[in-house]
Amino acid sequence: MKLLRNDTFEIQISPQGTVESIFLTDDPEKMNWVIDAQYVKDAGYSSQDKRFGQWSAIVDDEGIESVNLQPHIHFINDKSANVTFSHDKFKVEYDYLLNNNGELLWNIRCSNPTIDPVRVNGFHSWFSLAYIMFRDEDVLRNMKHSCAVFPHLGGDFSKFAAMRRSNEAPHLAIYSTGDRVTAFGTYCSYVNRFLEQVSPSLDGMLYHRLSFVEDGSSMEQSAENDWIYGGDYSAITLGPSEEKKWSFVFTPFKDQEEFYKKAQKYGHPHWTYSHVTTTDGKFFAEVNLPEEETLISVKIVSVVDEAGTLKETDITNEFKLVSKEKSKRLRVAIPLKSAGEIKLEATLANGKCDVLIGNVLEPIHNLLEKRADWLCNHSFNPTQETTRPYAFMPLSNQGESLGKLSFILMKNLLSPPVATQVNKVETSAFLDLKHHWFEDGDFMIPRPLYGSESFYRIYDFDYIGHVYYLLSRFEQSLLSYAIPETYLTWAAEVMCMRLDPDCHRNKREKEESQLVGVFILYIADLLEDLKENQLFDWHDKLHWLWLQFVEGLKQGSQGYQGAVTEHFYDNAGFGPTCEALCLAKLTDEAELYAPLIIANIGFSNDYRANAPDRWWEALSFMTHSLWGGLVAGAARSSYETLGDTRLLEAGYRATMAVFNCYDWNVNSTTRRLKPGEAASTYSIAAPNLNMPELSRNRFGQSIFKKSSDPLFSSLFSNIEGDDWDMGEELVAYMLGFGSTTYLYTDGEGELSCVNGFIEQAEKGWEITSYAAYPTRYVMLEKGLSFVSNAGEMIKRILFIDGQFIRTEIKI
């Protein structure tokens, strides 16, 4: 093992020519930024052929792998190494250079050593950054020695942000400075112990892979649908002695802002833009170009019909110089009236191209209305001659499946109610839910629905209590089976049982009763309504249990115990824990968890990669509708207490990424949706090397019924449909961005708008909300808010002299 070093990096090169460690000299934690081969061995994994720098290629239809070649390694000094892999038809050279500017340079060259042309269909290198869930209940190890990796692909300016999960700098940035990267794939090694009924139940690691040449064969059927990136999928021919070269710079960075500023140093344009807009808003983009560079042309590409016809719109002349002294920023704001994904292609004077991927949604209330219609017309089972009559399909024992009911109810509370929709949910809640999850409908006796030894999940009761609470908010005229007070009492009874360890006999259930869950979306409102309805016994009991619960969260916060759920490290833990602590006004403790949320939510030039980081259902980094939306909601909610605009921006990015699971106008995936349909998961990576058919595709857990992994196929054997664990994320949206638009002052003193569009008016500013049911406008830093009258939707509002002023524009 050979050590290279400069004032910023220490890297170790193995005799096999792989990078075994990358350390940052100023990192107090001494994190290894690549997957450590010794850890892989100690944890019992077999993936020793995916170490950083190992590569594979398809040359003249022959598969070539570096593990089968003996490299020649030449160390020039303690700052540079050359690694050469020679094959009869293909030669690969890596240079690792540590310079005096505190950078690590990685050059990759491939060449044809023969006297005849060779055809290269694929050339891929493992890029094994330390994306690890350690098999370790010491949560600090997962926070301080693991990273999420957020890619920026397309065009000539690929870059990758490796964010330490604690959000503590230094982080690691990798910027492309040579030929373009064609694809960014992943392979997951994991152990699933869920069926053994142990917590934590899952661990694993993602191996990232860079494709320098990719003809689409790694993506199987997904490539033909990928109109966004598919244009780069092609083989290359190398003539005799011809060479191709790629190059990257590794450098530390402290935060997202510096990541983009440093990118400019390496010739990358810096963009801010509307990742997602709506057809009743405007697309916004602003670019700050590198020194001595100019913008030649910009076009927007979109799909205009079912046949996949592409339309190009030149918007170059729409870009205007920002009217600030010495500013080089160019800005555009234009309406886009057709729903669907968009690809912005910008060409610079040096001939290089940068790419942004965004989406234009139909007005979001349309999406929600269509979804509710679809569920009530296709999912509700109205007959008694089936398993679980009056349930909403697909059937599941897990409470997550009840999120659909909560969504329908919340939608009907925020818009003019549809009586038949409310009736179907109430019928299901009264005749199915109550008796499926509880013995004889007794809320104190949960039915053991899981596992060979039979246990029940505490989390299920969060969803059950939510359905009953939302039913209690309706007028009696819309209810058929019970009065609102009955449902309010049932919600309180379920939650008292859920939060009280003494109500449970087994160790697992007692421990899980103290884990945070979906109930934080409604616990405060439930307590308030119990008091207003003078149900003081239930209020006092639930309030006492809530205070005890919060005290446990407070005590566990110094050790970050809220970050562990049934997995070793889980955003389903630290997201809601932060929100719960904010709800309890425990800001010091909440501020411990807030950085974990910020590091967890992606930032990218592709809106689909802005999701909260998770991996275990797609075996790749992914958007999961339920927990993506709930973590996004936790970020937004926590912003209102903590005031950190990074939480607000991250929460909005992630929320918009989640709508990819519902948006029927998206056509870059193999799985197309009909209006109102949904799929719970979107696999962001391409290729997904564990399950290539999932590459940039939408799916549900039923996909795993045919998995070659016996644990997965067993776990999901009874799952039907792709949307059973959805709905609560839409409730979180409606409670936040579904109603509220935010203003804040950015670092340059300009007004920024989140969940809307801001433009100068004759006096002051006009704000157009993108919310589905716009009723609230907030500028937290000035303590300003505007709330509409009951039942009133305010689509636009003026902001004049530091005050929100009503306009006449309503919905």
Side-chain angles (χ1 to χ4, degrees):
M1 203 80 73
K2 180 71 173 180
L3 179 68
L4 306 179
R5 67 173 62 185
N6 62 6
D7 58 351
T8 302
F9 287 96
E10 292 182 359
I11 73 170
Q12 284 188 315
I13 309 293
S14 76
Q16 292 77 39
T18 56
V19 176
E20 294 302 309
S21 65
I22 297 179
F23 292 98
L24 295 169
T25 56
D26 289 340
D27 178 8
E29 300 300 330
K30 299 302 177 187
M31 171 179 169
N32 183 359
W33 286 89
V34 301
I35 291 178
D36 185 87
Q38 189 60 49
Y39 172 75
V40 173
K41 182 179 179 180
D42 293 345
Y45 289 105
S46 59
S47 299
Q48 293 289 355
D49 59 343
K50 299 177 177 61
R51 290 145 73 178
F52 191 106
Q54 290 178 323
W55 57 267
S56 63
I58 304 293
V59 181
D60 286 344
D61 297 324
E62 179 184 354
I64 305 171
E65 295 190 35
S66 62
V67 291
N68 298 322
L69 303 175
Q70 181 60 48
H72 173 75
I73 306 176
H74 177 52
F75 295 100
I76 301 156
N77 50 41
D78 66 351
K79 288 185 171 59
S80 58
N82 172 269
V83 183
T84 302
F85 300 87
S86 295
H87 181 273
D88 292 344
K89 289 187 175 181
F90 199 60
K91 180 181 178 182
V92 173
E93 289 185 83
Y94 287 158
D95 293 325
Y96 297 102
L97 307 172
L98 295 175
N99 62 28
N100 293 325
N101 297 322
E103 299 165 329
L104 163 61
L105 308 182
W106 182 34
N107 298 325
I108 301 99
R109 295 185 297 276
C110 72
S111 59
N112 174 10
T114 75
I115 59 173
D116 299 307
V118 297
R119 181 178 175 84
V120 183
N121 290 83
F123 175 37
H124 320 281
S125 177
W126 290 104
F127 186 64
S128 307
L129 300 176
Y131 187 120
I132 306 171
M133 181 184 285
F134 289 102
R135 192 178 300 170
D136 192 337
E137 294 187 53
D138 176 7
V139 70
L140 293 178
R141 188 181 190 191
N142 276 306
M143 287 169 49
K144 296 177 181 294
H145 290 269
S146 175
C147 62
V149 181
F150 302 131
H152 300 64
L153 293 178
D156 297 300
F157 298 106
S158 296
K159 44 190 167 282
F160 307 90
M163 295 290 294
R164 196 196 309 262
R165 296 190 186 278
S166 66
N167 206 40
E168 295 174 331
H171 309 290
L172 184 63
I174 302 97
Y175 302 105
S176 172
T177 55
D179 277 0
R180 62 179 55 184
V181 175
T182 304
F184 181 67
T186 59
Y187 178 85
C188 183
S189 289
Y190 64 94
V191 172
N192 187 340
R193 302 180 65 201
F194 183 87
L195 295 181
E196 301 172 40
Q197 300 177 32
V198 297
S199 285
S201 65
L202 205 69
D203 65 89
M205 62 189 76
L206 285 189
Y207 290 89
H208 297 90
R209 192 186 78 169
L210 299 180
S211 293
F212 305 124
V213 180
E214 169 62 77
D215 67 354
S217 58
S218 290
M219 271 78 96
E220 294 187 358
Q221 69 267 34
S222 68
E224 64 186 66
N225 296 283
D226 190 1
W227 68 267
I228 293 173
Y229 294 110
D232 287 336
Y233 301 154
S234 62
I236 64 170
T237 298
L238 291 177
S241 301
E242 186 178 355
E243 181 179 86
K244 292 274 288 182
K245 179 180 177 180
W246 296 264
S247 56
F248 301 88
V249 176
F250 292 62
T251 184
F253 70 100
K254 66 178 182 180
D255 54 24
Q256 181 181 337
E257 182 180 3
E258 188 178 58
F259 174 80
Y260 287 119
K261 283 185 177 179
K262 280 200 166 189
Q264 285 189 276
K265 174 183 174 183
Y266 303 108
H268 292 224
H270 179 197
W271 291 90
T272 55
Y273 77 110
S274 310
H275 298 279
V276 176
T277 186
T278 65
T279 55
D280 52 1
K282 288 186 178 181
F283 171 75
F284 168 87
E286 183 178 286
V287 60
N288 199 352
L289 296 170
E291 289 293 329
E292 310 303 325
E293 197 51 76
T294 56
L295 193 65
I296 298 299
S297 67
V298 185
K299 64 183 178 182
I300 286 181
V301 185
S302 59
V303 175
V304 294
D305 57 32
E306 288 294 323
T309 305
L310 297 181
K311 175 186 176 183
E312 295 185 357
T313 304
D314 191 305
I315 62 169
T316 310
N317 293 332
E318 302 291 336
F319 277 81
K320 308 298 181 186
L321 195 66
V322 174
S323 56
K324 286 186 101 177
E325 187 179 356
K326 296 183 180 179
S327 174
K328 287 187 60 181
R329 291 179 294 161
L330 296 166
R331 180 181 293 171
V332 66
I334 55 174
L336 295 175
K337 296 300 184 183
S338 297
E341 292 166 303
I342 57 172
K343 178 180 180 179
L344 183 147
E345 297 180 350
T347 303
L348 307 186
N350 62 8
K352 291 191 173 184
C353 173
D354 206 2
V355 169
L356 305 176
I357 311 302
N359 194 22
V360 182
L361 285 171
E362 293 187 19
I364 297 176
H365 67 86
N366 288 357
L367 187 150
L368 301 179
E369 292 290 346
K370 290 283 189 183
R371 178 61 176 156
D373 285 343
W374 195 94
L375 288 171
C376 289
N377 293 330
H378 293 84
S379 290
F380 180 66
N381 176 19
T383 66
Q384 293 190 10
E385 285 74 40
T386 58
T387 304
R388 286 185 58 187
Y390 310 115
F392 274 74
M393 310 290 280
L395 299 179
S396 171
N397 285 332
Q398 291 189 232
E400 288 89 329
S401 63
L402 300 175
K404 297 188 291 291
L405 283 69
S406 293
F407 155 65
I408 295 168
L409 294 176
M410 179 62 77
K411 193 275 301 182
N412 278 279
L413 286 167
L414 294 179
S415 60
V418 180
T420 55
Q421 293 182 358
V422 178
N423 178 259
K424 287 179 179 179
V425 173
E426 186 192 11
T427 300
S428 184
F430 198 92
L431 299 179
D432 169 66
L433 185 162
K434 192 171 190 284
H435 298 279
H436 180 72
W437 271 273
F438 303 96
E439 299 284 358
D440 299 320
D442 187 336
F443 295 128
M444 295 304 294
I445 312 177
R447 291 180 61 194
L449 298 172
Y450 302 95
S452 58
E453 299 176 18
S454 293
F455 63 97
Y456 54 83
R457 290 171 79 238
I458 290 295
Y459 303 112
D460 292 350
F461 307 131
D462 295 19
Y463 301 93
I464 293 167
H466 203 179
V467 173
Y468 289 137
Y469 172 65
L470 291 174
L471 280 170
S472 76
R473 302 292 300 271
F474 284 90
E475 298 289 337
Q476 179 62 63
S477 61
L478 287 165
L479 300 176
S480 302
Y481 292 92
I483 62 174
E485 185 176 295
T486 296
Y487 291 125
L488 185 62
T489 302
W490 286 4
E493 190 173 353
V494 169
M495 285 310 303
C496 285
M497 177 273 296
R498 185 264 192 244
L499 289 171
D500 189 351
D502 292 337
C503 288
H504 312 285
R505 290 184 296 177
N506 298 326
K507 180 175 182 288
R508 174 179 181 140
E509 286 86 343
K510 285 180 179 292
E511 290 179 349
E512 287 187 354
S513 72
Q514 299 307 293
L515 293 178
V516 73
V518 171
F519 72 88
I520 59 169
L521 293 179
Y522 62 93
I523 185 74
D525 292 335
L526 172 57
L527 285 166
E528 185 175 333
D529 285 4
L530 288 169
K531 184 183 291 186
E532 283 188 8
N533 285 271
Q534 299 183 10
L535 297 170
F536 296 120
D537 288 346
W538 283 116
H539 171 273
D540 293 348
K541 182 177 181 181
L542 182 58
H543 188 240
W544 183 84
L545 288 167
W546 164 244
L547 293 178
Q548 294 299 111
F549 179 86
V550 167
E551 181 61 28
L553 289 185
K554 180 180 180 181
Q555 291 177 6
S557 61
Q558 293 299 323
Y560 294 93
Q561 291 308 300
V564 179
T565 61
E566 61 190 14
H567 306 304
F568 287 99
Y569 183 77
D570 190 358
N571 59 23
F574 58 75
T577 294
C578 184
E579 185 174 6
L581 290 166
C582 286
L583 194 63
K585 306 302 181 187
L586 295 172
T587 55
D588 289 346
E589 289 77 11
E591 285 175 343
L592 294 172
Y593 289 98
L596 312 188
I597 300 177
I598 294 167
N600 179 259
I601 293 177
F603 53 94
S604 176
N605 65 328
D606 187 329
Y607 82 101
R608 299 169 296 182
N610 289 336
D613 177 57
R614 261 170 107 85
W615 59 270
W616 43 84
E617 290 181 53
L619 302 181
S620 174
F621 67 102
M622 68 178 188
T623 301
H624 187 255
S625 60
L626 176 64
W627 283 109
L630 291 176
V631 171
R636 181 213 60 84
S637 176
S638 299
Y639 161 73
E640 292 215 7
T641 296
L642 302 178
D644 188 335
T645 55
R646 294 176 300 172
L647 289 167
L648 176 65
E649 293 281 3
Y652 188 66
R653 288 197 310 272
T655 298
M656 294 299 103
V658 164
F659 280 118
N660 187 38
C661 294
Y662 290 93
D663 186 1
W664 57 85
N665 292 299
V666 164
N667 48 33
S668 62
T669 68
T670 305
R671 170 69 187 277
R672 299 292 299 275
L673 299 175
K674 298 174 183 176
E677 271 193 307
S680 66
T681 312
Y682 176 77
S683 181
I684 299 169
N688 178 327
L689 293 162
N690 292 83
M691 300 184 73
E693 67 271 27
L694 300 186
S695 300
R696 289 205 186 98
N697 201 12
R698 297 181 284 207
F699 64 97
Q701 290 186 335
S702 59
I703 193 80
F704 291 109
K705 291 174 67 173
K706 61 180 182 181
S707 173
S708 59
D709 182 327
L711 284 170
F712 272 123
S713 59
S714 172
L715 184 61
F716 300 114
S717 61
N718 295 319
I719 295 295
E720 299 292 342
D722 288 341
D723 67 348
W724 68 267
D725 56 345
M726 303 181 78
E728 288 286 358
E729 72 281 1
L730 295 181
V731 177
Y733 163 77
M734 287 185 279
L735 289 170
F737 292 122
S739 59
T740 305
T741 295
Y742 297 87
L743 290 185
Y744 73 88
T745 307
D746 67 18
E748 296 187 356
E750 290 193 34
L751 275 180
S752 288
C753 181
V754 174
N755 196 29
F757 182 76
I758 182 169
E759 55 190 333
Q760 283 192 306
E762 185 177 337
K763 285 187 176 181
W765 301 86
E766 182 178 76
I767 295 95
T768 300
S769 177
Y770 292 164
Y773 309 106
T775 57
R776 183 170 175 253
Y777 295 81
V778 171
M779 191 173 191
L780 190 66
E781 69 200 54
K782 295 186 180 298
L784 299 174
S785 66
F786 172 92
V787 180
S788 67
N789 299 323
E792 182 182 47
M793 308 284 182
I794 304 292
K795 183 68 176 175
R796 291 186 180 87
I797 197 168
L798 294 174
F799 188 72
I800 302 173
D801 296 330
Q803 295 295 324
F804 290 113
I805 307 295
R806 174 189 292 272
T807 71
E808 296 305 312
I809 301 173
K810 303 177 185 177
I811 293 179

